[in-house]
Amino acid sequence: MSSPLELMWARMATGSSNLSFPSPEEAASHTYTPDEERAREYNRERFVIGSINHVAITLRAKASESATDEIMIADFYPKQTARVKAYELLATEFGLNRNEVQHD
């Protein structure tokens, strides 16, 4: 599921003029240039991609390492249904209730 995102960011990092979000099929068949592969490897350290358990563990660790109590998430799902599902999984994992409203 992460291959289209990896390809898009590799293209951006190497100055490609093709910045459209690739399909899973396009990403699977893409042959990375050496520069794209370096960008892909570099970005793997910056992104949190994986199962909900892996993402939650990683986000908690990053929050602890940086002594923060709030995390902002930027997602790159090509479809709204996938985005909503991911946020629902994260909300459940972090014990957040959709109906709760925070007031400062």
PDB file of all heavy atoms in Angstrom, residues 42-69:
ATOM      1  N   TYR A  42      15.894   7.198   2.006  1.00  0.00           N
ATOM      2  CA  TYR A  42      15.916   8.328   2.929  1.00  0.00           C
ATOM      3  C   TYR A  42      14.523   8.580   3.521  1.00  0.00           C
ATOM      4  O   TYR A  42      14.373   8.792   4.723  1.00  0.00           O
ATOM      5  CB  TYR A  42      16.417   9.584   2.212  1.00  0.00           C
ATOM      6  CG  TYR A  42      16.297  10.843   3.031  1.00  0.00           C
ATOM      7  CD1 TYR A  42      17.168  11.098   4.091  1.00  0.00           C
ATOM      8  CD2 TYR A  42      15.308  11.786   2.748  1.00  0.00           C
ATOM      9  CE1 TYR A  42      17.057  12.249   4.845  1.00  0.00           C
ATOM     10  CE2 TYR A  42      15.193  12.940   3.504  1.00  0.00           C
ATOM     11  CZ  TYR A  42      16.059  13.163   4.550  1.00  0.00           C
ATOM     12  OH  TYR A  42      15.938  14.301   5.305  1.00  0.00           O
ATOM     13  N   ASN A  43      13.517   8.532   2.685  1.00  0.00           N
ATOM     14  CA  ASN A  43      12.162   8.813   3.142  1.00  0.00           C
ATOM     15  C   ASN A  43      11.613   7.731   4.060  1.00  0.00           C
ATOM     16  O   ASN A  43      10.748   8.006   4.882  1.00  0.00           O
ATOM     17  CB  ASN A  43      11.228   9.022   1.950  1.00  0.00           C
ATOM     18  CG  ASN A  43      11.427  10.384   1.327  1.00  0.00           C
ATOM     19  OD1 ASN A  43      11.770  11.340   2.008  1.00  0.00           O
ATOM     20  ND2 ASN A  43      11.238  10.471   0.031  1.00  0.00           N
ATOM     21  N   ARG A  44      12.099   6.523   3.946  1.00  0.00           N
ATOM     22  CA  ARG A  44      11.634   5.446   4.832  1.00  0.00           C
ATOM     23  C   ARG A  44      11.910   5.778   6.294  1.00  0.00           C
ATOM     24  O   ARG A  44      11.192   5.332   7.180  1.00  0.00           O
ATOM     25  CB  ARG A  44      12.285   4.128   4.453  1.00  0.00           C
ATOM     26  CG  ARG A  44      11.659   3.528   3.237  1.00  0.00           C
ATOM     27  CD  ARG A  44      12.110   2.119   3.019  1.00  0.00           C
ATOM     28  NE  ARG A  44      11.371   1.579   1.879  1.00  0.00           N
ATOM     29  CZ  ARG A  44      11.797   0.612   1.127  1.00  0.00           C
ATOM     30  NH1 ARG A  44      12.953   0.029   1.386  1.00  0.00           N
ATOM     31  NH2 ARG A  44      11.082   0.192   0.117  1.00  0.00           N
ATOM     32  N   GLU A  45      12.949   6.547   6.534  1.00  0.00           N
ATOM     33  CA  GLU A  45      13.267   6.958   7.900  1.00  0.00           C
ATOM     34  C   GLU A  45      12.329   8.065   8.385  1.00  0.00           C
ATOM     35  O   GLU A  45      12.187   8.274   9.581  1.00  0.00           O
ATOM     36  CB  GLU A  45      14.721   7.445   7.983  1.00  0.00           C
ATOM     37  CG  GLU A  45      15.740   6.378   7.678  1.00  0.00           C
ATOM     38  CD  GLU A  45      15.721   5.260   8.713  1.00  0.00           C
ATOM     39  OE1 GLU A  45      15.643   5.573   9.912  1.00  0.00           O
ATOM     40  OE2 GLU A  45      15.773   4.088   8.313  1.00  0.00           O
ATOM     41  N   ARG A  46      11.706   8.769   7.462  1.00  0.00           N
ATOM     42  CA  ARG A  46      10.871   9.924   7.805  1.00  0.00           C
ATOM     43  C   ARG A  46       9.394   9.583   7.921  1.00  0.00           C
ATOM     44  O   ARG A  46       8.643  10.302   8.564  1.00  0.00           O
ATOM     45  CB  ARG A  46      11.052  11.003   6.736  1.00  0.00           C
ATOM     46  CG  ARG A  46      12.477  11.502   6.654  1.00  0.00           C
ATOM     47  CD  ARG A  46      12.702  12.455   5.490  1.00  0.00           C
ATOM     48  NE  ARG A  46      11.743  13.526   5.499  1.00  0.00           N
ATOM     49  CZ  ARG A  46      11.208  14.039   4.400  1.00  0.00           C
ATOM     50  NH1 ARG A  46      11.538  13.597   3.216  1.00  0.00           N
ATOM     51  NH2 ARG A  46      10.351  15.022   4.473  1.00  0.00           N
ATOM     52  N   PHE A  47       8.959   8.522   7.257  1.00  0.00           N
ATOM     53  CA  PHE A  47       7.548   8.160   7.231  1.00  0.00           C
ATOM     54  C   PHE A  47       7.254   7.035   8.214  1.00  0.00           C
ATOM     55  O   PHE A  47       8.117   6.217   8.501  1.00  0.00           O
ATOM     56  CB  PHE A  47       7.136   7.694   5.836  1.00  0.00           C
ATOM     57  CG  PHE A  47       7.316   8.729   4.764  1.00  0.00           C
ATOM     58  CD1 PHE A  47       7.673   8.353   3.487  1.00  0.00           C
ATOM     59  CD2 PHE A  47       7.128  10.070   5.006  1.00  0.00           C
ATOM     60  CE1 PHE A  47       7.838   9.295   2.481  1.00  0.00           C
ATOM     61  CE2 PHE A  47       7.294  11.025   4.012  1.00  0.00           C
ATOM     62  CZ  PHE A  47       7.646  10.626   2.748  1.00  0.00           C
ATOM     63  N   VAL A  48       6.032   7.011   8.679  1.00  0.00           N
ATOM     64  CA  VAL A  48       5.575   5.915   9.522  1.00  0.00           C
ATOM     65  C   VAL A  48       4.525   5.169   8.704  1.00  0.00           C
ATOM     66  O   VAL A  48       3.415   5.656   8.502  1.00  0.00           O
ATOM     67  CB  VAL A  48       4.979   6.424  10.850  1.00  0.00           C
ATOM     68  CG1 VAL A  48       4.515   5.253  11.697  1.00  0.00           C
ATOM     69  CG2 VAL A  48       5.984   7.283  11.593  1.00  0.00           C
ATOM     70  N   ILE A  49       4.916   4.005   8.209  1.00  0.00           N
ATOM     71  CA  ILE A  49       4.058   3.216   7.334  1.00  0.00           C
ATOM     72  C   ILE A  49       4.011   1.794   7.866  1.00  0.00           C
ATOM     73  O   ILE A  49       5.045   1.232   8.221  1.00  0.00           O
ATOM     74  CB  ILE A  49       4.609   3.206   5.890  1.00  0.00           C
ATOM     75  CG1 ILE A  49       4.646   4.623   5.315  1.00  0.00           C
ATOM     76  CG2 ILE A  49       3.787   2.281   4.996  1.00  0.00           C
ATOM     77  CD1 ILE A  49       5.385   4.736   3.993  1.00  0.00           C
ATOM     78  N   GLY A  50       2.826   1.232   7.938  1.00  0.00           N
ATOM     79  CA  GLY A  50       2.724  -0.152   8.375  1.00  0.00           C
ATOM     80  C   GLY A  50       1.377  -0.454   8.990  1.00  0.00           C
ATOM     81  O   GLY A  50       0.412   0.292   8.828  1.00  0.00           O
ATOM     82  N   SER A  51       1.332  -1.554   9.715  1.00  0.00           N
ATOM     83  CA  SER A  51       0.105  -1.973  10.384  1.00  0.00           C
ATOM     84  C   SER A  51      -0.256  -0.941  11.460  1.00  0.00           C
ATOM     85  O   SER A  51       0.593  -0.143  11.891  1.00  0.00           O
ATOM     86  CB  SER A  51       0.295  -3.338  11.038  1.00  0.00           C
ATOM     87  OG  SER A  51       1.196  -3.223  12.135  1.00  0.00           O
ATOM     88  N   ILE A  52      -1.489  -0.986  11.917  1.00  0.00           N
ATOM     89  CA  ILE A  52      -1.915  -0.034  12.948  1.00  0.00           C
ATOM     90  C   ILE A  52      -1.079  -0.209  14.204  1.00  0.00           C
ATOM     91  O   ILE A  52      -0.699   0.764  14.854  1.00  0.00           O
ATOM     92  CB  ILE A  52      -3.437  -0.132  13.247  1.00  0.00           C
ATOM     93  CG1 ILE A  52      -3.879   1.009  14.169  1.00  0.00           C
ATOM     94  CG2 ILE A  52      -3.802  -1.471  13.834  1.00  0.00           C
ATOM     95  CD1 ILE A  52      -3.684   2.384  13.591  1.00  0.00           C
ATOM     96  N   ASN A  53      -0.725  -1.437  14.532  1.00  0.00           N
ATOM     97  CA  ASN A  53       0.101  -1.693  15.706  1.00  0.00           C
ATOM     98  C   ASN A  53       1.482  -1.056  15.532  1.00  0.00           C
ATOM     99  O   ASN A  53       1.978  -0.367  16.428  1.00  0.00           O
ATOM    100  CB  ASN A  53       0.215  -3.201  15.950  1.00  0.00           C
ATOM    101  CG  ASN A  53       0.909  -3.504  17.248  1.00  0.00           C
ATOM    102  OD1 ASN A  53       0.576  -2.946  18.282  1.00  0.00           O
ATOM    103  ND2 ASN A  53       1.890  -4.387  17.187  1.00  0.00           N
ATOM    104  N   HIS A  54       2.109  -1.254  14.385  1.00  0.00           N
ATOM    105  CA  HIS A  54       3.427  -0.669  14.120  1.00  0.00           C
ATOM    106  C   HIS A  54       3.366   0.863  14.144  1.00  0.00           C
ATOM    107  O   HIS A  54       4.226   1.512  14.748  1.00  0.00           O
ATOM    108  CB  HIS A  54       3.952  -1.146  12.762  1.00  0.00           C
ATOM    109  CG  HIS A  54       5.169  -0.408  12.317  1.00  0.00           C
ATOM    110  ND1 HIS A  54       6.416  -0.634  12.853  1.00  0.00           N
ATOM    111  CD2 HIS A  54       5.325   0.588  11.403  1.00  0.00           C
ATOM    112  CE1 HIS A  54       7.288   0.190  12.283  1.00  0.00           C
ATOM    113  NE2 HIS A  54       6.658   0.936  11.398  1.00  0.00           N
ATOM    114  N   VAL A  55       2.354   1.421  13.511  1.00  0.00           N
ATOM    115  CA  VAL A  55       2.216   2.883  13.466  1.00  0.00           C
ATOM    116  C   VAL A  55       2.026   3.440  14.873  1.00  0.00           C
ATOM    117  O   VAL A  55       2.672   4.413  15.255  1.00  0.00           O
ATOM    118  CB  VAL A  55       1.055   3.299  12.525  1.00  0.00           C
ATOM    119  CG1 VAL A  55       0.727   4.775  12.686  1.00  0.00           C
ATOM    120  CG2 VAL A  55       1.399   2.963  11.081  1.00  0.00           C
ATOM    121  N   ALA A  56       1.167   2.813  15.667  1.00  0.00           N
ATOM    122  CA  ALA A  56       0.912   3.296  17.026  1.00  0.00           C
ATOM    123  C   ALA A  56       2.175   3.228  17.880  1.00  0.00           C
ATOM    124  O   ALA A  56       2.505   4.188  18.591  1.00  0.00           O
ATOM    125  CB  ALA A  56      -0.213   2.492  17.666  1.00  0.00           C
ATOM    126  N   ILE A  57       2.894   2.115  17.816  1.00  0.00           N
ATOM    127  CA  ILE A  57       4.126   1.970  18.589  1.00  0.00           C
ATOM    128  C   ILE A  57       5.133   3.043  18.174  1.00  0.00           C
ATOM    129  O   ILE A  57       5.764   3.696  19.013  1.00  0.00           O
ATOM    130  CB  ILE A  57       4.711   0.553  18.418  1.00  0.00           C
ATOM    131  CG1 ILE A  57       3.851  -0.457  19.160  1.00  0.00           C
ATOM    132  CG2 ILE A  57       6.166   0.496  18.888  1.00  0.00           C
ATOM    133  CD1 ILE A  57       4.177  -1.906  18.840  1.00  0.00           C
ATOM    134  N   THR A  58       5.284   3.232  16.868  1.00  0.00           N
ATOM    135  CA  THR A  58       6.249   4.208  16.361  1.00  0.00           C
ATOM    136  C   THR A  58       5.862   5.627  16.748  1.00  0.00           C
ATOM    137  O   THR A  58       6.715   6.422  17.175  1.00  0.00           O
ATOM    138  CB  THR A  58       6.394   4.080  14.837  1.00  0.00           C
ATOM    139  OG1 THR A  58       6.745   2.730  14.519  1.00  0.00           O
ATOM    140  CG2 THR A  58       7.456   5.020  14.298  1.00  0.00           C
ATOM    141  N   LEU A  59       4.578   5.976  16.610  1.00  0.00           N
ATOM    142  CA  LEU A  59       4.144   7.328  16.979  1.00  0.00           C
ATOM    143  C   LEU A  59       4.321   7.584  18.473  1.00  0.00           C
ATOM    144  O   LEU A  59       4.750   8.672  18.874  1.00  0.00           O
ATOM    145  CB  LEU A  59       2.691   7.552  16.565  1.00  0.00           C
ATOM    146  CG  LEU A  59       2.429   7.634  15.065  1.00  0.00           C
ATOM    147  CD1 LEU A  59       0.934   7.820  14.805  1.00  0.00           C
ATOM    148  CD2 LEU A  59       3.233   8.748  14.421  1.00  0.00           C
ATOM    149  N   ARG A  60       3.999   6.579  19.288  1.00  0.00           N
ATOM    150  CA  ARG A  60       4.192   6.748  20.737  1.00  0.00           C
ATOM    151  C   ARG A  60       5.677   6.946  21.062  1.00  0.00           C
ATOM    152  O   ARG A  60       6.030   7.779  21.901  1.00  0.00           O
ATOM    153  CB  ARG A  60       3.627   5.541  21.486  1.00  0.00           C
ATOM    154  CG  ARG A  60       2.115   5.545  21.560  1.00  0.00           C
ATOM    155  CD  ARG A  60       1.580   4.392  22.410  1.00  0.00           C
ATOM    156  NE  ARG A  60       0.144   4.492  22.552  1.00  0.00           N
ATOM    157  CZ  ARG A  60      -0.731   3.684  21.955  1.00  0.00           C
ATOM    158  NH1 ARG A  60      -0.316   2.699  21.170  1.00  0.00           N
ATOM    159  NH2 ARG A  60      -2.023   3.856  22.137  1.00  0.00           N
ATOM    160  N   ALA A  61       6.539   6.190  20.404  1.00  0.00           N
ATOM    161  CA  ALA A  61       7.976   6.322  20.645  1.00  0.00           C
ATOM    162  C   ALA A  61       8.478   7.703  20.214  1.00  0.00           C
ATOM    163  O   ALA A  61       9.249   8.340  20.930  1.00  0.00           O
ATOM    164  CB  ALA A  61       8.741   5.224  19.913  1.00  0.00           C
ATOM    165  N   LYS A  62       8.035   8.157  19.052  1.00  0.00           N
ATOM    166  CA  LYS A  62       8.459   9.475  18.564  1.00  0.00           C
ATOM    167  C   LYS A  62       7.954  10.584  19.491  1.00  0.00           C
ATOM    168  O   LYS A  62       8.664  11.548  19.754  1.00  0.00           O
ATOM    169  CB  LYS A  62       7.983   9.700  17.133  1.00  0.00           C
ATOM    170  CG  LYS A  62       8.766   8.873  16.117  1.00  0.00           C
ATOM    171  CD  LYS A  62       8.345   9.191  14.704  1.00  0.00           C
ATOM    172  CE  LYS A  62       9.111   8.380  13.708  1.00  0.00           C
ATOM    173  NZ  LYS A  62      10.534   8.698  13.617  1.00  0.00           N
ATOM    174  N   ALA A  63       6.733  10.438  19.978  1.00  0.00           N
ATOM    175  CA  ALA A  63       6.184  11.435  20.907  1.00  0.00           C
ATOM    176  C   ALA A  63       6.983  11.441  22.203  1.00  0.00           C
ATOM    177  O   ALA A  63       7.311  12.510  22.730  1.00  0.00           O
ATOM    178  CB  ALA A  63       4.716  11.136  21.179  1.00  0.00           C
ATOM    179  N   SER A  64       7.330  10.274  22.698  1.00  0.00           N
ATOM    180  CA  SER A  64       8.111  10.184  23.928  1.00  0.00           C
ATOM    181  C   SER A  64       9.509  10.769  23.731  1.00  0.00           C
ATOM    182  O   SER A  64       9.989  11.546  24.571  1.00  0.00           O
ATOM    183  CB  SER A  64       8.213   8.723  24.359  1.00  0.00           C
ATOM    184  OG  SER A  64       9.007   8.603  25.509  1.00  0.00           O
ATOM    185  N   GLU A  65      10.156  10.425  22.622  1.00  0.00           N
ATOM    186  CA  GLU A  65      11.500  10.930  22.330  1.00  0.00           C
ATOM    187  C   GLU A  65      11.538  12.450  22.233  1.00  0.00           C
ATOM    188  O   GLU A  65      12.521  13.079  22.593  1.00  0.00           O
ATOM    189  CB  GLU A  65      12.007  10.346  21.010  1.00  0.00           C
ATOM    190  CG  GLU A  65      12.325   8.879  21.057  1.00  0.00           C
ATOM    191  CD  GLU A  65      12.512   8.272  19.672  1.00  0.00           C
ATOM    192  OE1 GLU A  65      12.579   9.033  18.673  1.00  0.00           O
ATOM    193  OE2 GLU A  65      12.576   7.045  19.580  1.00  0.00           O
ATOM    194  N   SER A  66      10.456  13.031  21.723  1.00  0.00           N
ATOM    195  CA  SER A  66      10.438  14.486  21.536  1.00  0.00           C
ATOM    196  C   SER A  66       9.682  15.212  22.646  1.00  0.00           C
ATOM    197  O   SER A  66       9.493  16.420  22.574  1.00  0.00           O
ATOM    198  CB  SER A  66       9.813  14.832  20.177  1.00  0.00           C
ATOM    199  OG  SER A  66       8.483  14.366  20.117  1.00  0.00           O
ATOM    200  N   ALA A  67       9.254  14.475  23.659  1.00  0.00           N
ATOM    201  CA  ALA A  67       8.541  15.036  24.810  1.00  0.00           C
ATOM    202  C   ALA A  67       7.344  15.876  24.387  1.00  0.00           C
ATOM    203  O   ALA A  67       7.145  17.001  24.841  1.00  0.00           O
ATOM    204  CB  ALA A  67       9.493  15.849  25.680  1.00  0.00           C
ATOM    205  N   THR A  68       6.534  15.315  23.497  1.00  0.00           N
ATOM    206  CA  THR A  68       5.338  16.019  23.042  1.00  0.00           C
ATOM    207  C   THR A  68       4.088  15.236  23.431  1.00  0.00           C
ATOM    208  O   THR A  68       4.137  14.035  23.665  1.00  0.00           O
ATOM    209  CB  THR A  68       5.377  16.244  21.519  1.00  0.00           C
ATOM    210  OG1 THR A  68       4.288  17.087  21.153  1.00  0.00           O
ATOM    211  CG2 THR A  68       5.271  14.939  20.754  1.00  0.00           C
ATOM    212  N   ASP A  69       2.974  15.920  23.508  1.00  0.00           N
ATOM    213  CA  ASP A  69       1.721  15.236  23.817  1.00  0.00           C
ATOM    214  C   ASP A  69       0.702  15.392  22.686  1.00  0.00           C
ATOM    215  O   ASP A  69      -0.466  15.091  22.850  1.00  0.00           O
ATOM    216  CB  ASP A  69       1.132  15.736  25.135  1.00  0.00           C
ATOM    217  CG  ASP A  69       0.812  17.222  25.113  1.00  0.00           C
ATOM    218  OD1 ASP A  69       1.049  17.866  24.071  1.00  0.00           O
ATOM    219  OD2 ASP A  69       0.334  17.736  26.130  1.00  0.00           O
TER     220      ASP A  69
END
